[in-house]
Amino acid sequence: MKSAEPRAPLEIRGAGLFDRLDYRLVETPEDRDAVYAMRYRAYLHGGLISPNASQRIIDTYDDAPNAWIFGIYLDGELCSSLRLHVLTSEWRMSYTTELFGDVLNSRLDRGEVFVDPARFAADPDKSQRFHELPYLTLRLAYLACDHFNADLGLAMVRTDHQAFYRRIFLHETLTEPRPFPGWHSRQVVLMASDFAKLRERVLTRFPIMRSSAFERRMLFDRAGQTQAVSRPMLVPAATVA
């Protein structure tokens, strides 16, 4: 979806790309299959996986009730994708809580809310041409933190990607590296940032992360969406950027 309001200037390379993008919730079997195939191409190109016959990357968390899968489309063509999980005391389904539950569960027990981006993937050809895709794709996670009034924005990332998350989202590394299921060549760490505390610093440095309440509702409020959306702890924040 495109916001009906003017967007802030993009202070990263490729400012003109922003208004050529659409964020779409991936719902149909055909669109999901395209995302799963792109994940496969991206992970194979990155040396994370070995070839498989299906040429798809799918996992059990794709159908979790607290998950949103987005496709990012450039001029109408799928160029990247991101899965977002909203984690609460009652909704803990994600790879991040599976791998790092010893760190997160006690805080979820206290009623905190986390936004957990996962399965970031970009078309290998387009990612080489458009180096701003990670910023524009992960912007969705920042908007979700705002919409769901998250206590923490999480990132379970490859060890060699930590610098990006520190620079953009001011994340801190919370754990030592651990193996990730299915990635034979990499380990991951858990990173996080206090959203409310750091929000204005991030927005000042990267205005691209700003959004309107209208844009956030269009992205994350869906008629007939999972029960998780309507639970009291997932009521959107009252503030409007």
Side-chain angles (χ1 to χ4, degrees):
M1 57 79 61
K2 292 181 183 290
S3 172
E5 300 181 10
R7 287 169 167 172
L10 181 60
E11 296 189 348
I12 58 175
R13 181 183 175 198
L17 190 64
F18 195 29
D19 288 325
R20 295 165 55 192
L21 288 180
D22 287 328
Y23 296 117
R24 301 180 195 169
L25 187 66
V26 175
E27 299 178 287
T28 69
E30 294 78 13
D31 287 346
R32 282 203 168 206
D33 188 66
V35 166
Y36 300 153
M38 185 180 63
R39 284 180 187 169
Y40 174 81
R41 295 194 304 273
Y43 293 171
L44 188 66
H45 182 266
L48 299 175
I49 60 170
S50 300
N52 68 52
S54 71
Q55 298 187 3
R56 303 291 188 274
I57 296 294
I58 307 170
D59 65 59
T60 185
Y61 296 113
D62 284 321
D63 293 318
N66 61 330
W68 286 253
I69 301 176
F70 286 97
I72 294 81
Y73 294 80
L74 175 63
D75 297 332
E77 295 185 0
L78 180 66
C79 61
S80 63
S81 179
L82 188 70
R83 186 175 73 206
L84 294 173
H85 294 266
V86 180
L87 303 177
T88 72
S89 61
E90 297 188 39
W91 298 93
R92 307 188 187 210
M93 292 75 81
S94 80
Y95 264 131
T96 303
T97 48
E98 179 182 327
L99 267 64
F100 297 104
D102 57 316
V103 179
L104 297 174
N105 280 330
S106 61
R107 298 188 65 164
L108 291 171
D109 290 341
R110 295 197 296 267
E112 295 190 30
V113 175
F114 306 147
V115 167
D116 174 24
R119 289 299 190 195
F120 168 70
D123 178 89
D125 293 333
K126 291 182 173 63
S127 65
Q128 291 181 0
R129 293 172 54 199
F130 305 111
H131 298 287
E132 58 271 52
L133 274 179
Y135 299 83
L136 296 171
T137 304
L138 290 165
R139 177 177 180 266
L140 283 165
Y142 210 75
L143 270 59
C145 284
D146 222 342
H147 185 72
F148 294 109
N149 200 19
D151 296 285
L152 291 181
L154 303 179
M156 183 176 66
V157 304
R158 290 163 39 177
T159 53
D160 55 329
H161 286 179
Q162 294 175 77
F164 172 85
Y165 288 84
R166 289 194 190 101
R167 181 166 60 89
I168 304 303
F169 301 108
L170 305 178
H171 277 4
E172 297 180 357
T173 301
L174 303 184
T175 67
E176 295 296 321
R178 301 181 185 183
F180 181 80
W183 287 10
H184 55 71
S185 63
R186 302 286 182 177
Q187 292 188 316
V188 295
V189 296
L190 178 63
M191 304 185 75
S193 63
D194 183 319
F195 179 73
K197 179 180 178 181
L198 298 173
R199 180 179 183 273
E200 289 307 317
R201 286 179 60 189
V202 172
L203 293 179
T204 298
R205 295 171 68 243
F206 294 97
I208 188 65
M209 299 299 169
R210 293 190 181 276
S211 61
S212 67
F214 171 77
E215 181 181 15
R216 297 191 295 270
R217 287 195 303 270
M218 291 296 291
L219 287 168
F220 302 113
D221 288 356
R222 290 290 183 269
Q225 184 60 276
T226 66
Q227 184 182 8
V229 179
S230 62
R231 290 183 173 270
M233 71 282 289
L234 296 187
V235 172
T239 57
V240 177

